[in-house]
Amino acid sequence: MVGTLRREDVPGTERLVGWVHRRRDLGGLLFVDLRDRSGVVQVSFGPEWSDGESLERARHLGSEDVISVEGEVVLRPEAARNPELATGDVELKARHLELLNPAVTPAIPVFRGPSEELPSEELRLRHRHLDLRRSELQGNLRLRHRLILAVRNYMDGLGFLEIETPILTKPTPEGARDYLVPSRVHPGEFYALPQSPQLYKQVLMTAGYDRYFQIARCFRDEDLRADRQPEFTQIDVEASFIQPDDLFGWVEGLMSTLAVVGEVDAPTPFPRMRYTEAMDRYGSDRPDLRWELEISDWTGALGTADSELLRGAVATGGRLRGLRLPGGGTLSRKEVEGLEVVAKAAGAPGLLWAKRTAEGGSGPLARWMEPEHWSATGAAEGDLLVVAAGPDRVTSPALAAVRAAVIRALKLPKVRAHAWLWVLEFPLFLEEGGRLFPGHHPFVLPHPEDVGRIEGEPTSVRSLAYDLVYNGAEFGSGSIRIHDAGLQRRVLRRLGMADEDIDRKFGFLLEALASGAPPHGGIALGMDRIVKDFVGAPSLRDVIAFPKTTAARALFEGAPTPASPSDLAELRLDVRVGRSE
RNA sequence: GGGGCUGUAGCUCAGCUGGUUAGAGUGCCGGUCUGUCACACCGGAGGCCGCGGGUUCGAGUCCCGUCAGCCCCGCCA
């Protein structure tokens, strides 16, 4: 291939095919950079070694023309070598050129010079065939391929079977919105695309396939983010007769295998932290431990301050928590107020702050700060304190957002480049508006010590659910599952479902559990995010060949589109648009 | 559903407190050039200023709406 030519190939005759990357016409001499997915090599044309017709054709080559050139591989003159190019010592002296397929002038350039901006995201997606020709994206997709291959080899080595599960499946009763697919055979009835193979893999466990995995496509009809696509790929894993430690060992082994491929560090075992501790120290269930900065609890330290706001927050059951930022005094008032904006955007009513200065202190909080308050927080001269007052459910997200912002603003040094973490014991239930929701999903096994509190104190029940976190991103989420039909029913009832609903929606699962389901558990790892973070891409769109926009459109092929009247008639569907109900 | 940013030549962008003929780089077309590699140099073509409405003597610029892309909140069991 063109990118693999080296001085060892001199002398030799080659016929190379590829795309015209760039052309430099010096008059008598003419150079073409020929590109394929292996790289670029320089092809030279000149009257002494190129036939006349080929030379004339070469003069009119345009970017992205597909050509075939045949000639001698030669060492370039000493002064004309290009150390920036892997093939820079050699070139192909073209005897003959064939134009295999001329290309129209590309709508977006494939070649990009140093310091040239990428075309807009919209155009890159619209002309995806051109964008995908760039070496960055080709490199990303090549790494993705190698990671998937490594997953399959590793899981196979542990005795896991890859088993495919349906894409046309049953709507999920809770959770994300489903993509629905109408049934022609059963008018008015719909399949759903799977949000994950969750129930199928549990059924596979009951069927005795005690080690299952799948590179599984999943679909969720929810609004998108840079790290969320409506269809995405999970490494789905489930195994029987296991404890969390078994799974952690396998996943740590898998991740260090992938890390070698992706050239990142993944020293095992990964540290572990309980959910409550993560929320307490970092305000997040997926803390980014590349930085050490932690949240402090100053309820005792500042609760005595003569401030109505502070005392009020404590009196109503809240806490005073904040961050001590050594050297944060260098931030301007405007920058600190920017942190307050961040806190408000994350849902906090406000953010108090004080700088400790030689004269005492400055900032809205400073007037309440007596010497004992300063010392109780450990603030030294030049430090900045930011404090959020209120219930943890409000202050945690705010302080997590402020922590991230302040790390950026102060350019705090990383203490490690790759931070892996298991977060354990997620709550089984979350409460919102007086209603209970599953913390993870309704099939998670309650912590054995907490089962007795399911009815009485549901929000205090821990679960055997765990997340794998890398650099503050959720890489995977899993749990030990309920294998007892009675306990499963108990949990579903506690979530507010009536028995007939349970039987209708989950009857097949309960029946399977009751028919000899082994204890089992598993995890689902986000393949796209793994690739994204390993290559350092800013968006999932850079590691998916044909991604959707934030509005879930496919710009290249133009999906979705209205269905034709005949299709709708066959499906017996009526469409009403432009009417909001 | 909400908030923010962006939309000007094929592409990347500039365009001031509203002012008369909308610019640059690159790409494209033509020309010169035998060692270039973001080749260089000379010349040329290329514009629904996203779309619709409004304010104004006058709108790329201000206002309202709308569409598209991106980022965030909600949402994502």
Side-chain angles (χ1 to χ4, degrees), chain A residues 417-437:
Chain A
H418 307 279
W420 297 85
L421 178 72
W422 287 108
V423 178
L424 312 176
E425 295 181 2
F426 275 73
L428 189 68
F429 300 108
L430 296 173
E431 193 178 358
E432 206 182 293
R435 262 199 68 191
L436 286 182
F437 294 89

Side-chain angles (χ1 to χ4, degrees), chain A residues 3-7 38-41 82-90:
Chain A
T4 60
L5 275 198
R6 295 293 183 273
R7 50 197 318 156
S38 67
V40 169
V41 74
N82 185 347
E84 315 242 308
L85 210 58
T87 59
D89 285 342
V90 299

Side-chain angles (χ1 to χ4, degrees), chain A residues 37-88:
Chain A
R37 77 183 164 94
S38 67
V40 169
V41 74
Q42 175 167 280
V43 179
S44 63
F45 292 85
E48 289 90 18
W49 60 88
S50 306
D51 69 59
E53 255 182 48
S54 295
L55 189 57
E56 188 51 32
R57 271 200 291 270
R59 295 213 182 285
H60 295 99
L61 284 176
S63 294
E64 302 308 312
D65 286 342
V66 183
I67 60 172
S68 160
V69 277
E70 176 272 315
E72 294 295 318
V73 184
V74 300
L75 220 47
R76 281 152 74 151
E78 192 85 44
R81 292 181 192 162
N82 185 347
E84 315 242 308
L85 210 58
T87 59

Side-chain angles (χ1 to χ4, degrees), chain A residues 196-339:
Chain A
S196 79
Q198 180 61 35
L199 292 174
Y200 291 110
K201 67 178 178 178
Q202 290 193 239
V203 172
L204 285 170
M205 291 302 110
T206 72
Y209 296 83
D210 61 342
R211 291 188 178 192
Y212 145 94
F213 86 104
Q214 186 182 184
I215 309 290
R217 196 63 73 83
C218 307
F219 307 85
R220 294 180 190 172
D221 186 5
E222 293 293 345
D223 290 339
L224 308 182
R225 293 284 189 284
D227 61 352
R228 266 196 243 155
Q229 281 276 306
E231 56 179 309
F232 58 100
T233 304
Q234 286 187 343
I235 307 169
D236 196 40
V237 177
E238 196 80 2
S240 297
F241 308 110
I242 60 160
Q243 299 296 319
D245 278 335
D246 299 312
L247 193 89
F248 294 166
W250 291 330
V251 172
E252 286 170 5
L254 174 62
M255 285 301 141
S256 40
T257 301
L258 297 186
V260 171
V261 177
E263 295 177 343
V264 306
D265 286 334
T268 57
F270 299 159
R272 303 178 186 187
M273 189 181 291
R274 290 196 176 86
Y275 169 86
T276 48
E277 184 184 349
M279 295 303 289
D280 205 47
R281 290 168 63 188
Y282 302 99
S284 167
D285 61 4
R286 48 182 175 91
D288 191 339
L289 298 188
R290 284 176 295 176
W291 290 276
E292 273 182 326
L293 185 63
E294 289 189 27
I295 294 169
S296 301
D297 181 353
W298 293 321
T299 311
L302 300 180
T304 59
D306 189 21
S307 152
E308 231 169 274
L309 197 158
L310 295 180
R311 292 189 171 192
V314 176
T316 53
R319 292 203 286 170
L320 310 178
R321 299 158 76 209
L323 298 164
R324 183 175 68 86
L325 305 164
T330 56
L331 292 178
S332 68
R333 185 178 198 93
K334 199 173 170 186
E335 285 170 311
V336 178
E337 280 165 359
L339 296 178

Side-chain angles (χ1 to χ4, degrees), chain A residues 4-258:
Chain A
T4 60
L5 275 198
R6 295 293 183 273
R7 50 197 318 156
E8 293 74 41
D9 299 305
V10 179
T13 305
E14 287 281 354
R15 176 178 174 272
L16 298 176
V17 289
W19 287 260
V20 173
H21 194 51
R22 254 182 116 67
R23 193 177 47 118
R24 292 176 294 279
D25 188 345
L26 271 58
L29 262 184
L30 186 147
F31 299 99
V32 168
D33 289 342
L34 183 66
R35 186 196 71 237
D36 68 13
R37 77 183 164 94
S38 67
V40 169
V41 74
Q42 175 167 280
V43 179
S44 63
F45 292 85
E48 289 90 18
W49 60 88
S50 306
D51 69 59
E53 255 182 48
S54 295
L55 189 57
E56 188 51 32
R57 271 200 291 270
R59 295 213 182 285
H60 295 99
L61 284 176
S63 294
E64 302 308 312
D65 286 342
V66 183
I67 60 172
S68 160
V69 277
E70 176 272 315
E72 294 295 318
V73 184
V74 300
L75 220 47
R76 281 152 74 151
E78 192 85 44
R81 292 181 192 162
N82 185 347
E84 315 242 308
L85 210 58
T87 59
D89 285 342
V90 299
E91 69 184 13
L92 186 74
K93 292 189 94 132
R95 243 194 319 267
H96 189 69
L97 165 74
E98 288 292 332
L99 179 58
L100 300 180
N101 196 2
V104 297
T105 301
I108 58 171
V110 176
F111 170 84
R112 183 160 64 115
S115 86
E116 270 180 30
E117 295 295 321
L118 278 175
S120 72
E121 193 87 33
E122 184 177 357
L123 291 167
R124 289 176 53 202
L125 292 172
R126 200 173 293 284
H127 307 286
R128 195 63 171 168
H129 57 296
L130 295 172
D131 201 37
L132 284 170
R133 287 179 187 172
R134 294 188 304 113
S135 62
E136 288 101 312
L137 289 192
Q138 295 203 340
N140 292 355
L141 294 183
R142 193 175 311 124
L143 180 70
R144 185 181 178 120
H145 157 77
R146 292 174 57 217
L147 290 171
I148 288 175
L149 194 61
V151 169
R152 289 205 159 102
N153 287 333
Y154 178 88
M155 297 308 286
D156 176 64
L158 288 176
F160 280 78
L161 295 186
E162 180 163 19
I163 301 173
E164 290 163 278
T165 53
I167 294 296
L168 293 177
T169 176
K170 186 176 174 170
T172 321
E174 290 167 75
R177 277 184 282 268
D178 288 309
Y179 279 99
L180 292 178
V181 180
S183 164
R184 173 186 56 83
V185 184
H186 304 285
E189 298 183 26
F190 295 81
Y191 301 96
L193 305 182
Q195 296 182 20
S196 79
Q198 180 61 35
L199 292 174
Y200 291 110
K201 67 178 178 178
Q202 290 193 239
V203 172
L204 285 170
M205 291 302 110
T206 72
Y209 296 83
D210 61 342
R211 291 188 178 192
Y212 145 94
F213 86 104
Q214 186 182 184
I215 309 290
R217 196 63 73 83
C218 307
F219 307 85
R220 294 180 190 172
D221 186 5
E222 293 293 345
D223 290 339
L224 308 182
R225 293 284 189 284
D227 61 352
R228 266 196 243 155
Q229 281 276 306
E231 56 179 309
F232 58 100
T233 304
Q234 286 187 343
I235 307 169
D236 196 40
V237 177
E238 196 80 2
S240 297
F241 308 110
I242 60 160
Q243 299 296 319
D245 278 335
D246 299 312
L247 193 89
F248 294 166
W250 291 330
V251 172
E252 286 170 5
L254 174 62
M255 285 301 141
S256 40
T257 301
L258 297 186

